[in-house]
Amino acid sequence: MSSLWYLYMIKCANGHLYTGITTDVNRRFHEHQLGGKKAAKYLKGKGPLTLIYIEKIGNHSQALKKEIAIKKLTRKQKLMLIG
């Protein structure tokens, strides 16, 4: 059985938005906050971080496609998406 995947967005202290996918949002966000080896390089030193969006997607392939699509959006479009 395949795992359920989620898409998430994090807002950095400087206002930048980061989009990622994972099977465990809480664990992944915690890794980003710690800034260790498992954290995204983009987020290091940009805290405090705020988890601003979570969307249940389905399988890994669907999550990856959605992540790519969202990363192509403008900041304004991303903010409209998360409401």
Side-chain angles (χ1 to χ4, degrees):
M1 188 176 145
S2 64
S3 299
L4 186 59
W5 283 79
Y6 297 85
L7 178 129
Y8 62 92
M9 266 194 250
I10 293 173
K11 186 175 183 180
C12 303
N14 62 9
H16 290 184
L17 301 175
Y18 174 84
T19 303
I21 59 173
T22 186
T23 56
D24 184 340
V25 177
N26 290 328
R27 174 192 51 80
R28 190 67 182 125
F29 182 61
H30 185 67
E31 288 171 353
H32 290 315
Q33 287 181 304
L34 291 177
K37 284 192 276 185
K38 293 186 177 186
K41 288 180 184 176
Y42 179 82
L43 295 174
K44 290 184 181 180
K46 294 189 177 162
L49 306 175
T50 308
L51 185 62
I52 59 170
Y53 183 76
I54 301 172
E55 181 180 344
K56 193 183 301 184
I57 300 292
N59 65 37
H60 182 254
S61 177
Q62 292 168 324
L64 206 51
K65 288 175 187 172
K66 181 89 180 211
E67 178 187 24
I68 290 166
I70 287 180
K71 285 184 173 183
K72 291 179 181 178
L73 298 177
T74 65
R75 175 183 173 76
K76 185 176 180 180
Q77 289 171 322
K78 289 176 189 177
L79 292 172
M80 286 174 52
L81 171 73
I82 64 174

